[in-house]
């Protein structure tokens, strides 16, 4: 697994943990970690955020694009 794929996998795991959390502050922390992993993926390939967002849409999570990446 390449670095980009590893970073996207970590971001996906953080996203899943956020979805499972009932506490807003914990959910926010997981989403913050996911954003950091996405930034690493973007640095590694230049297009990691786009690929991750496509993966989220395919999973049907309904996750919207974050303001940090608009």
């Amino acid at each position: 697994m390449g670095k980009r794929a590893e970073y996207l996998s970590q971001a996906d795991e953080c996203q899943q943990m956020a979805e499972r959390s009932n506490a807003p502050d914990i959910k926010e922390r997981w989403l913050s970690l996911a954003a950091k992993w996405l930034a690493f993926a973007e640095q590694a390939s230049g297009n990691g955020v786009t690929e991750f967002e496509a993966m989220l849409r395919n999973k049907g999570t309904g996750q919207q694009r974050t303001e940090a990446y608009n």
Side-chain angles (χ1 to χ4, degrees), residues 34-69:
K36 289 177 183 180
W37 283 113
L38 290 175
F40 291 144
E42 188 173 18
Q43 289 175 359
S45 70
N47 64 359
V49 172
T50 302
E51 289 180 23
F52 184 72
E53 287 176 341
M55 183 174 57
L56 287 178
R57 281 192 301 274
N58 290 336
K59 290 176 63 175
T61 63
Q63 175 70 27
Q64 299 295 315
R65 186 178 181 114
T66 63
E67 291 180 21
Y69 291 101

Side-chain angles (χ1 to χ4, degrees), residues 1-5 8 10-11 15 17-18 21 24-25 29 34 38 44 46 48 52 62 64-65 70:
M1 176 184 296
K3 285 293 183 188
R4 179 178 50 87
L8 291 174
Q10 292 292 336
Q15 174 69 31
M17 294 301 291
S21 177
D25 59 327
R29 289 180 188 182
L38 290 175
F52 184 72
Q64 299 295 315
R65 186 178 181 114
N70 282 334

